Amino acid sequence: GERIDPTPYIEGDLPLTERVSVRYRACVGGRWLAWVTDCGVGSNGYAGIFGRDITALEVMPASGTVTYRAHEKGGGWLPWVRSGEGVTGGKTRPLDALQMVFSDGAYTMRYRVTSRKTDRWHGWCEGLCDATGDGYAGVFGYALDGVQMEIVRR
């Protein structure tokens, strides 16, 4: 049969990127921590400080829009905010759950959290976790102390 030169396919651009980069940061102890990009490793791989309550979160994708909200420990769900238009959390009460959605249907928002006292990462949540839109990442009553997120191709 005819041989095909694979070079153009190996060195060519993919039609769609495999991910959209997302920057995010947490407010802990009344101060904003450094921005984190995607899911790195070690202390650069998440927003927050293990053992200390996250009281607000800000999310900025490289393109598109992330719509998100947080649940305050002992309270209720805060209003939805869009990336670039505000933050979720009032910087005083601990957050214990998150919901996030990415605007481009070709990609999905993946995120997970750690909670004080549970001392472990909870499973990945994608979009609103389920078709009813009532899914979330977190455990009501246990303050978040770590958040990881990424936007990946479906």
Side-chain angles (χ1 to χ4, degrees), residues 20 32 39 52 55 67 69 72 83 87 91 143 151 154:
V20 172
W32 286 101
C39 294
R52 303 212 29 219
T55 56
T67 305
R69 68 179 179 167
E72 287 186 322
S83 53
V87 302
K91 300 198 296 189
I151 301 170
R154 287 188 186 274

PDB file of all heavy atoms in Angstrom, residues 20 32 39 52 55 67 69 72 83 87 91 143 151 154:
ATOM      1  N   VAL A  20      -8.508  24.856  28.419  1.00  0.00           N
ATOM      2  CA  VAL A  20      -8.498  26.312  28.502  1.00  0.00           C
ATOM      3  C   VAL A  20      -7.875  26.623  29.852  1.00  0.00           C
ATOM      4  O   VAL A  20      -8.328  26.125  30.881  1.00  0.00           O
ATOM      5  CB  VAL A  20      -9.925  26.904  28.423  1.00  0.00           C
ATOM      6  CG1 VAL A  20      -9.903  28.389  28.707  1.00  0.00           C
ATOM      7  CG2 VAL A  20     -10.551  26.618  27.068  1.00  0.00           C
ATOM      8  N   TRP A  32      -5.849  37.999  50.179  1.00  0.00           N
ATOM      9  CA  TRP A  32      -5.850  37.192  48.954  1.00  0.00           C
ATOM     10  C   TRP A  32      -4.501  36.512  48.789  1.00  0.00           C
ATOM     11  O   TRP A  32      -3.463  37.152  48.910  1.00  0.00           O
ATOM     12  CB  TRP A  32      -6.146  38.070  47.739  1.00  0.00           C
ATOM     13  CG  TRP A  32      -7.583  38.464  47.671  1.00  0.00           C
ATOM     14  CD1 TRP A  32      -8.114  39.668  48.037  1.00  0.00           C
ATOM     15  CD2 TRP A  32      -8.666  37.649  47.241  1.00  0.00           C
ATOM     16  NE1 TRP A  32      -9.472  39.643  47.860  1.00  0.00           N
ATOM     17  CE2 TRP A  32      -9.839  38.421  47.365  1.00  0.00           C
ATOM     18  CE3 TRP A  32      -8.764  36.344  46.770  1.00  0.00           C
ATOM     19  CZ2 TRP A  32     -11.100  37.937  47.025  1.00  0.00           C
ATOM     20  CZ3 TRP A  32     -10.018  35.857  46.430  1.00  0.00           C
ATOM     21  CH2 TRP A  32     -11.173  36.639  46.553  1.00  0.00           C
ATOM     22  N   CYS A  39      -4.206  22.944  37.454  1.00  0.00           N
ATOM     23  CA  CYS A  39      -3.897  22.037  38.569  1.00  0.00           C
ATOM     24  C   CYS A  39      -2.426  21.698  38.520  1.00  0.00           C
ATOM     25  O   CYS A  39      -2.019  20.811  37.777  1.00  0.00           O
ATOM     26  CB  CYS A  39      -4.714  20.758  38.468  1.00  0.00           C
ATOM     27  SG  CYS A  39      -6.464  21.008  38.666  1.00  0.00           S
ATOM     28  N   ARG A  52      -6.666  26.113  57.059  1.00  0.00           N
ATOM     29  CA  ARG A  52      -7.194  27.478  57.239  1.00  0.00           C
ATOM     30  C   ARG A  52      -8.380  27.697  56.310  1.00  0.00           C
ATOM     31  O   ARG A  52      -8.340  27.324  55.145  1.00  0.00           O
ATOM     32  CB  ARG A  52      -6.093  28.510  56.953  1.00  0.00           C
ATOM     33  CG  ARG A  52      -4.900  28.255  57.861  1.00  0.00           C
ATOM     34  CD  ARG A  52      -4.077  29.408  58.304  1.00  0.00           C
ATOM     35  NE  ARG A  52      -4.716  30.683  58.414  1.00  0.00           N
ATOM     36  CZ  ARG A  52      -4.114  31.816  58.047  1.00  0.00           C
ATOM     37  NH1 ARG A  52      -2.895  31.798  57.527  1.00  0.00           N
ATOM     38  NH2 ARG A  52      -4.721  32.968  58.198  1.00  0.00           N
ATOM     39  N   THR A  55     -12.452  31.995  52.611  1.00  0.00           N
ATOM     40  CA  THR A  55     -13.618  32.849  52.814  1.00  0.00           C
ATOM     41  C   THR A  55     -14.091  33.545  51.531  1.00  0.00           C
ATOM     42  O   THR A  55     -15.155  34.160  51.533  1.00  0.00           O
ATOM     43  CB  THR A  55     -13.323  33.917  53.892  1.00  0.00           C
ATOM     44  OG1 THR A  55     -12.162  34.650  53.504  1.00  0.00           O
ATOM     45  CG2 THR A  55     -13.092  33.261  55.248  1.00  0.00           C
ATOM     46  N   THR A  67     -19.055  30.818  35.384  1.00  0.00           N
ATOM     47  CA  THR A  67     -20.093  31.304  36.273  1.00  0.00           C
ATOM     48  C   THR A  67     -20.028  30.414  37.509  1.00  0.00           C
ATOM     49  O   THR A  67     -20.006  29.193  37.390  1.00  0.00           O
ATOM     50  CB  THR A  67     -21.476  31.228  35.603  1.00  0.00           C
ATOM     51  OG1 THR A  67     -21.424  31.946  34.369  1.00  0.00           O
ATOM     52  CG2 THR A  67     -22.559  31.825  36.485  1.00  0.00           C
ATOM     53  N   ARG A  69     -20.548  30.060  42.150  1.00  0.00           N
ATOM     54  CA  ARG A  69     -21.041  30.546  43.429  1.00  0.00           C
ATOM     55  C   ARG A  69     -20.553  29.633  44.535  1.00  0.00           C
ATOM     56  O   ARG A  69     -20.143  28.497  44.286  1.00  0.00           O
ATOM     57  CB  ARG A  69     -22.560  30.649  43.450  1.00  0.00           C
ATOM     58  CG  ARG A  69     -23.285  29.311  43.412  1.00  0.00           C
ATOM     59  CD  ARG A  69     -24.764  29.529  43.461  1.00  0.00           C
ATOM     60  NE  ARG A  69     -25.502  28.263  43.410  1.00  0.00           N
ATOM     61  CZ  ARG A  69     -26.779  28.157  43.688  1.00  0.00           C
ATOM     62  NH1 ARG A  69     -27.480  29.230  44.030  1.00  0.00           N
ATOM     63  NH2 ARG A  69     -27.381  26.988  43.614  1.00  0.00           N
ATOM     64  N   GLU A  72     -21.911  29.438  52.019  1.00  0.00           N
ATOM     65  CA  GLU A  72     -21.265  29.818  53.269  1.00  0.00           C
ATOM     66  C   GLU A  72     -21.606  28.815  54.362  1.00  0.00           C
ATOM     67  O   GLU A  72     -22.765  28.413  54.505  1.00  0.00           O
ATOM     68  CB  GLU A  72     -21.715  31.221  53.709  1.00  0.00           C
ATOM     69  CG  GLU A  72     -21.127  32.315  52.862  1.00  0.00           C
ATOM     70  CD  GLU A  72     -21.460  33.705  53.379  1.00  0.00           C
ATOM     71  OE1 GLU A  72     -22.586  33.920  53.866  1.00  0.00           O
ATOM     72  OE2 GLU A  72     -20.578  34.570  53.295  1.00  0.00           O
ATOM     73  N   SER A  83     -16.925  35.282  35.942  1.00  0.00           N
ATOM     74  CA  SER A  83     -15.506  35.643  35.971  1.00  0.00           C
ATOM     75  C   SER A  83     -15.327  37.039  35.388  1.00  0.00           C
ATOM     76  O   SER A  83     -15.967  37.402  34.415  1.00  0.00           O
ATOM     77  CB  SER A  83     -14.680  34.611  35.194  1.00  0.00           C
ATOM     78  OG  SER A  83     -15.199  34.426  33.885  1.00  0.00           O
ATOM     79  N   VAL A  87     -16.268  38.408  42.853  1.00  0.00           N
ATOM     80  CA  VAL A  87     -15.783  37.230  43.570  1.00  0.00           C
ATOM     81  C   VAL A  87     -16.952  36.611  44.320  1.00  0.00           C
ATOM     82  O   VAL A  87     -17.980  37.255  44.526  1.00  0.00           O
ATOM     83  CB  VAL A  87     -14.653  37.589  44.568  1.00  0.00           C
ATOM     84  CG1 VAL A  87     -13.490  38.240  43.838  1.00  0.00           C
ATOM     85  CG2 VAL A  87     -15.154  38.485  45.676  1.00  0.00           C
ATOM     86  N   LYS A  91     -15.463  37.301  52.386  1.00  0.00           N
ATOM     87  CA  LYS A  91     -14.151  37.393  53.041  1.00  0.00           C
ATOM     88  C   LYS A  91     -14.231  37.327  54.563  1.00  0.00           C
ATOM     89  O   LYS A  91     -13.266  37.619  55.235  1.00  0.00           O
ATOM     90  CB  LYS A  91     -13.377  38.625  52.583  1.00  0.00           C
ATOM     91  CG  LYS A  91     -13.105  38.640  51.093  1.00  0.00           C
ATOM     92  CD  LYS A  91     -12.012  39.574  50.679  1.00  0.00           C
ATOM     93  CE  LYS A  91     -12.292  40.998  50.942  1.00  0.00           C
ATOM     94  NZ  LYS A  91     -11.313  41.908  50.350  1.00  0.00           N
ATOM     95  N   ALA A 143     -15.587  23.737  56.508  1.00  0.00           N
ATOM     96  CA  ALA A 143     -15.000  24.825  55.720  1.00  0.00           C
ATOM     97  C   ALA A 143     -13.979  24.310  54.706  1.00  0.00           C
ATOM     98  O   ALA A 143     -13.192  23.413  55.013  1.00  0.00           O
ATOM     99  CB  ALA A 143     -14.328  25.839  56.649  1.00  0.00           C
ATOM    100  N   ILE A 151     -10.118  23.392  33.166  1.00  0.00           N
ATOM    101  CA  ILE A 151     -11.132  23.383  32.114  1.00  0.00           C
ATOM    102  C   ILE A 151     -10.579  22.495  31.006  1.00  0.00           C
ATOM    103  O   ILE A 151      -9.541  22.812  30.430  1.00  0.00           O
ATOM    104  CB  ILE A 151     -11.423  24.806  31.602  1.00  0.00           C
ATOM    105  CG1 ILE A 151     -11.908  25.687  32.764  1.00  0.00           C
ATOM    106  CG2 ILE A 151     -12.449  24.760  30.484  1.00  0.00           C
ATOM    107  CD1 ILE A 151     -11.988  27.162  32.428  1.00  0.00           C
ATOM    108  N   ARG A 154     -14.239  18.137  26.411  1.00  0.00           N
ATOM    109  CA  ARG A 154     -15.183  17.038  26.695  1.00  0.00           C
ATOM    110  C   ARG A 154     -14.801  15.795  25.939  1.00  0.00           C
ATOM    111  O   ARG A 154     -14.248  15.809  24.910  1.00  0.00           O
ATOM    112  CB  ARG A 154     -16.606  17.421  26.286  1.00  0.00           C
ATOM    113  CG  ARG A 154     -17.221  18.420  27.229  1.00  0.00           C
ATOM    114  CD  ARG A 154     -18.694  18.599  26.870  1.00  0.00           C
ATOM    115  NE  ARG A 154     -19.278  19.636  27.647  1.00  0.00           N
ATOM    116  CZ  ARG A 154     -19.791  19.466  28.863  1.00  0.00           C
ATOM    117  NH1 ARG A 154     -19.801  18.289  29.421  1.00  0.00           N
ATOM    118  NH2 ARG A 154     -20.308  20.480  29.512  1.00  0.00           N
TER     119      ARG A 154
END
